[in-house]
Amino acid sequence: MAEAWPSFLMTVEDVFRPNRGRLVMASGRIERGRVRRGEEVALVGSGTETTARVAGIRHGGLEVGEARAGANVGLLLPGAVPGGPERGQVLAAPGSIRARGVFTAEIAVLAEDEGGGEVRTGDALDCHLRTGAVRGVVTLPPGLDVLRPLHLAAVRIALDRPVPLESGQRFAFRRHSRAAGSGTVTRLSAE
């Protein structure tokens, strides 16, 4: 019986252009699943969703035929992939993840002496989602005027641009260039 694998997902941490642009190498750590040379992967994020065939896999300075979760690898893709790749995007099994611009999250604000401060509806937070950072505007739940340090609440966040998101994904956020808190994605909007 064949071993069942979760769907492949790797966050793009860095991008290199060997061979004068004929190929592009997206490097990062495989979060889950496995990938094989010749397989089709989806590039998701920054308003882009396209597919490309994996031309090669580099792991530990060697060319390998496949790589699995936990490995830091470089995936070689055709150099003419539209829209990327770039840091903050993900490479994934086609159809397994989508970029979203709005989500609901449970956020916790740090103590004031650790950088936390009051959060109100309309405040902008710099959300660090995987290796990408994107600005998001917060909407507090009805009846809550202010979220104070050391408190948590379920909030809605509208991002400046769509990024790959999954329910249960953890993230950190900064405010006024200081660490301000963390959160967990609880619901994805249909948009």
Side-chain angles (χ1 to χ4, degrees):
M1 185 169 161
E3 188 175 354
W5 286 89
S7 59
F8 166 72
L9 184 111
M10 181 186 103
T11 302
V12 177
E13 295 175 10
D14 214 342
V15 177
F16 304 94
R17 301 200 184 281
N19 301 11
R20 299 178 193 223
R22 285 191 351 247
L23 292 175
V24 61
M25 183 169 70
S27 68
R29 183 178 170 277
I30 299 175
E31 284 186 31
R32 65 172 181 251
R34 69 176 172 191
V35 63
R36 293 179 174 158
R37 185 182 318 120
E39 284 184 339
E40 192 170 71
V41 294
L43 177 63
V44 181
S46 301
T48 298
E49 188 164 339
T50 187
T51 58
R53 197 155 300 281
V54 176
I57 304 170
R58 292 191 181 155
H59 177 58
L62 302 172
E63 264 310 303
V64 294
E66 85 170 30
R68 300 176 180 197
N72 287 310
V73 298
L75 297 186
L76 293 165
L77 305 170
V81 174
E86 62 184 48
R87 181 177 174 84
Q89 292 179 317
V90 298
L91 290 167
S96 63
I97 188 170
R98 285 185 39 212
R100 314 273 184 151
V102 179
F103 65 98
T104 301
E106 181 91 8
I107 65 167
V109 181
L110 291 173
E112 254 184 280
D113 62 340
E114 295 175 329
E118 293 182 345
V119 175
R120 299 177 191 281
T121 292
D123 284 350
L125 304 176
D126 293 319
C127 299
H128 294 266
L129 299 145
R130 291 190 171 95
T131 59
V134 63
R135 177 138 311 180
V137 176
V138 175
T139 302
L140 297 178
L144 184 62
D145 296 329
V146 61
L147 181 60
R148 301 189 191 288
L150 295 177
H151 287 85
L152 56 102
V155 302
R156 181 179 179 271
I157 300 176
L159 302 172
D160 283 351
R161 60 183 163 78
V163 297
L165 288 173
E166 297 177 292
S167 192
Q169 181 178 331
R170 297 192 45 77
F171 65 96
F173 60 89
R174 298 175 71 83
R175 191 159 173 251
H176 305 299
S177 300
R178 294 183 63 185
S182 63
T184 303
V185 176
T186 55
R187 194 173 74 239
L188 302 169
S189 293
E191 64 173 54

